[in-house]
Amino acid sequence: MQPALKTTSFKQKTNQVLGISLEDARISKSYLAVAFIALLLGGFLGLLQGLNRAGVLQLPPWLNYYQVLTAHGILLVVVLSAFFTIGYFYAGLSHTLGGLLPKVRKMAWIGFWMKIFGFVLAVIPILRNEASVMYTFYPPMAASPMFYFGLVFIVLGVWMLSFGAFTQVANWRRNHKGEHLPILAFFATGVFVLLVGATAFVAVEVIFMIIPWTLGWVDGINVLLARTLFWAFGHTAVNIWYLTAVSAWYVIIPKIIGGNRWSDLLTRMVVIPLVIMNITGGFHHQIIDPGISESIKYMHVFMSLAIGFPSLMTAYAMFRVFERTARAKGGKGLVGWYKKMPWGDVRFLAPFIAMVAFIPAGAGGIAQSTNQLDQVVHNTMWVVGHFHITLGMSVIMTFFGISYWLVPYLSKRVLTPAMNRLGVIQTIVWTIGMVIMAISMHIVGLFGSPRRTSFTTYGNFAETLGWNPYMAAVGIGATLLLIAVILQVYAVFNLMFFAPKGVTEFPIAEEEAGAEKTPYWTERWGVWVILMLIVVSMAYVLPIVDMIMNAPPGSPPFKTW
Amino acid sequence: MKMHLDEKIWLFLSFGMIMGFMIFTGYQAVALGMGPPSHKETIDPKKVDQTAPFDQPGIKQIGENEYEVVMTLQVFSFTPMEIEVPAGSTVHFTLTSKDVVHGFQVANTNLNAMVMPGHIQKISQKFDEPGEYLVLCNEYCGAGHQAMSTKIIVK
Ligand code: HEM
Ligand SMILES: [Cu+2]
Ligand SMILES: [Cu+2]
């Protein structure tokens, strides 16, 4: 036992002095490269959608709106976010746990190629217009079976990566009995636990329900059950990307502004409920579905709003950290301290705007989770505005901010002042574009304009004339966003391959001197997972049994595009 | 664990706000009957045309100022198409889909419901203001989804 302990801590030290090993860096760089290529493609498709809805661009028959939208959704919420999250946390595990174990590295590569293979399988039918079913693929719309096989490989890849992360963490814990998992690894553990939990639902949906049905082995499918399983996954997925962003808010940003991180115990107490209570939020996507009773829906308002609480704790913690740091640097006054923040540093500016965006994003989310309010906006453009603020600002802008130090850290290069300036410009352009686009989407949604609908006037219905100015604004926002996408992707690849060589640190903030010691119970992951399973069963067993027992005759597959 | 007074106040307010939303939602749903459409009857999605009441879709007066509309949704239309009611009427919609998932939304009202094959959905609305109301499908249902609309005329 003893020697093993010594070698790890020795490795941990070399890691901190020499930076990440080339092999570990290659893994994270590959994930990040895929993520940002997905951003480029997805952003371009987003522009096509924005221009179409503004009424200025008619898409050709060989590339219709719904094909484009399916690809946009998959590239951005399935590829970009997942590949970024994995690349970032694997770098974090390597850095804080003394380098990846060789077998974990192997698992990371197997997972990578499984995900890529699955993605290629899914994209081919989309390109051939055989899978224009959106990233939600609600049955009884049925895509070509190849699309679903692709999804299966993506899920298998995610599992491989999650087990890689668990192996790494378990090994560290074995060698560091009684110690707390480093905070970034703690977040990573939560994220990978949720990834397994979430994908389990969609795996059941795809493997046991959809694939046998599209292959013609069974003739009917339970439409409501499939949707329910999908949202247990889909909702959790976006919350995983959010938790990833939150990890940077707590762990990285305080270091970048030269401060200390928030109470270690309170940080861990935000992660734990986010893991335990997350999956059950899925029902808020089905508030106006038939076949689910009002009392179940009401219970789920509570389940969804409950995760608002840790987010509100986070809001407090962040502004407190900023204020303390600024005051320590001589900032004065009730609000005057803000002048001491490093506004010109893109590594701070982008995630800061991301956090500010979370205020309207969270407020909108709370409104939408309550049943009657959701009924007003469900499936309107409001919702599209909402997730471009949550994902397109709170999450993605945090990821952008991370990329300006993570990529040079991995490539052993540095962020030059010129590149930093480009990053600041990128941040501003993206913010303006997203704000214009998202506000217009929210407003036009309240007027009733539906989501997932190519340009239409519904036979010159007078009502829709009022929508036009807002849709034009969506087109303008989309154009600005594409400019920002190009700047961002340029920055990432420049930092990866061309920026000047040098040493960039992995910025992890320390606790305040003399901080209270965190009690050990926070490390009981077994307990957290069991609690998660209990909460999930409380939420899902009754409705799912009801959906199966009282199911209507199944629906046959349809191809309606 | 150290916690500042202002943090305790903030968390207390956060908790209060969440509970406030809960209570308000519950009150509206239970006391005012404003809960979201959640009807639980099922139907064989392949036999919609042969199953009552959908064998005779249309509008029927069921009381003074009260109407029932039995409607099917299918790619890419609503049956019956145009609906006319006098101002001040309450209309009860009974809906199902003959194929994929559709949405039933009427702009400028709170009518918004998912309509799924195999399930019967119900939702009601009182129309006070005369005018033409746009009815549209708000769930992607295929190549002609953007054309799936009709209108309700309130006289
Ligand atoms: C270049 C930047 C972007 C532009 C111009 C853009 C634009 C749009 C537009 C116009 C829609 C379609 C609205 C509709 O008809 O329903 C849309 C949908 C969507 N966008 Fe974006 N978007 C951008 C970036 C992002 C990002 C960064 C994310 C997430 C990480 C994202 C996630 C989504 C999702 C999930 C949908 C819904 C797809 C669906 O309904 O199936 N977008 N976007
Ligand atoms: Cu959700
Ligand atoms: Cu439709």
Side-chain angles (χ1 to χ4, degrees), chain A residues 222-383:
Chain A
N222 185 333
V223 175
L224 181 59
L225 179 59
R227 270 167 86 78
T228 305
L229 294 174
F230 177 84
W231 279 117
F233 155 76
H235 163 78
T236 313
V238 291
N239 276 261
I240 291 170
W241 318 143
Y242 161 65
L243 183 55
T244 306
V246 169
S247 77
W249 299 356
Y250 275 104
V251 183
I252 312 288
I253 309 303
K255 176 78 175 184
I256 286 173
I257 62 175
N260 293 109
R261 67 187 174 85
W262 186 242
S263 148
D264 185 69
L265 174 59
L266 286 177
T267 309
R268 288 175 205 249
M269 278 172 62
V270 163
V271 180
I272 294 165
L274 281 176
V275 171
I276 294 176
M277 301 192 298
N278 221 318
I279 297 180
T280 53
F283 268 93
H284 63 217
H285 297 258
Q286 296 178 275
I287 291 174
I288 62 170
D289 277 11
I292 304 172
S293 70
E294 271 189 47
S295 46
I296 294 282
K297 288 179 185 173
Y298 186 65
M299 172 176 92
H300 278 277
V301 176
F302 185 69
M303 295 260 179
S304 291
L305 290 183
I307 41 182
F309 193 70
S311 304
L312 287 158
M313 283 173 79
T314 302
Y316 178 91
M318 290 306 109
F319 283 91
R320 213 48 214 258
V321 166
F322 295 157
E323 193 219 30
R324 265 188 213 165
T325 310
R327 287 201 194 283
K329 290 185 178 172
K332 295 240 157 51
L334 196 59
V335 285
W337 53 265
Y338 78 90
K339 292 186 201 129
K340 294 282 171 187
M341 306 303 287
W343 298 110
D345 184 342
V346 62
R347 301 169 310 157
F348 167 72
L349 183 66
F352 178 82
I353 295 175
M355 289 179 203
V356 173
F358 201 67
I359 298 170
I366 290 178
Q368 275 156 230
S369 308
T370 47
N371 291 343
Q372 285 82 270
L373 291 178
D374 176 72
Q375 190 179 327
V376 179
V377 295
H378 182 84
N379 270 1
T380 67
M381 285 300 278
W382 164 286
V383 176

Side-chain angles (χ1 to χ4, degrees), chain A residues 403-465:
Chain A
S403 72
Y404 288 98
W405 56 263
L406 179 58
V407 176
Y409 163 79
L410 294 169
S411 62
K412 301 193 192 296
R413 293 171 194 275
V414 289
L415 176 67
T416 59
M419 189 53 80
N420 179 57
R421 199 165 329 116
L422 182 88
V424 170
I425 295 170
Q426 192 280 336
T427 306
I428 293 169
V429 177
W430 181 275
T431 305
I432 297 173
M434 242 347 151
V435 167
I436 293 176
M437 186 169 94
I439 290 182
S440 322
M441 285 170 162
H442 275 92
I443 297 174
V444 80
L446 285 179
F447 292 162
S449 174
R451 70 183 286 198
R452 296 182 160 176
T453 305
S454 65
F455 178 73
T456 175
T457 57
Y458 292 114
N460 291 324
F461 204 94
E463 180 73 42
T464 63
L465 289 179

